[in-house]
Amino acid sequence: MRKILALVLSLCMLCSLCAAAAYADDAALLEYELGDTVEDFTVELCDGTVVSLYEMLETKQLVMINVWATWCSPCKAEFPIMEEAYNMYSDVVGLVCLSPYDSNEDVAAFMAKQGLNLPMGSDTIGADGFVLEGYPTTVIIDRVG
């Protein structure tokens, strides 16, 4: 449990540092506040896999939603680290990386070019509503929501 907590805290710090470096001009208003219960969502990833937040939480201790864009340099910098951590902890941590600016085809091309194998896709659920200051933004959701 300590390893998972350390991983989550490390990823949050990394994402915070990256987000501070790249402010988006059109950052969306935050729809959720700390402590709110996030509503269930279902999204189709670029590989055709359909994932649901609540279904992931049935088998995972927590789910990370990473909101990013293909043009975001800090996003590109964090993905290799995120992939390494996800490979180590995917049995207990769910991950969905969503881009509000890119189609699933663009995301797939980005993944191929970067050599990534993460659960990624186009944001069709409005995850950019989590973004306060810039990209990337990572939201952690536990089984309580």
Side-chain angles (χ1 to χ4, degrees), residues 3-16 38 41 43 45 51-54 56-57 60-68 78-79 81-99 118-121 125 127 130 136-143 145:
K3 288 182 180 181
I4 294 171
L5 183 57
L7 167 70
V8 169
L9 291 175
S10 297
L11 286 174
C12 286
M13 288 189 315
L14 174 66
C15 293
S16 296
V38 177
F41 64 80
V43 64
L45 303 178
V51 295
S52 162
L53 172 63
Y54 286 6
M56 282 190 287
L57 287 171
K60 308 293 184 187
Q61 293 180 13
L62 58 94
V63 172
M64 292 176 51
I65 301 172
N66 181 265
V67 187
W68 66 284
E78 81 173 354
F79 281 136
I81 300 164
M82 187 181 298
E83 185 159 41
E84 182 179 340
Y86 181 67
N87 288 338
M88 291 172 49
Y89 297 103
S90 62
D91 55 332
V92 292
V93 176
L95 175 64
V96 181
C97 303
L98 301 173
S99 174
L118 290 168
M120 303 175 92
I125 62 166
F130 290 117
T137 293
T138 298
V139 178
I140 310 278
I141 303 168
D142 65 9
R143 289 185 173 167

Side-chain angles (χ1 to χ4, degrees), residues 15-78:
C15 293
S16 296
L17 291 173
C18 292
Y23 289 98
D25 294 332
D26 60 348
L29 297 175
L30 182 66
E31 296 177 16
Y32 292 104
E33 294 182 14
L34 184 62
D36 286 351
T37 300
V38 177
E39 294 180 24
D40 192 17
F41 64 80
T42 301
V43 64
E44 183 176 348
L45 303 178
C46 63
D47 66 358
T49 304
V50 176
V51 295
S52 162
L53 172 63
Y54 286 6
E55 286 179 11
M56 282 190 287
L57 287 171
E58 288 177 6
T59 59
K60 308 293 184 187
Q61 293 180 13
L62 58 94
V63 172
M64 292 176 51
I65 301 172
N66 181 265
V67 187
W68 66 284
T70 56
W71 46 259
C72 169
S73 295
C75 300
K76 293 176 190 175
E78 81 173 354

Side-chain angles (χ1 to χ4, degrees), residues 126-137:
D128 60 330
F130 290 117
V131 178
L132 286 175
E133 301 285 338
Y135 298 94
T137 293

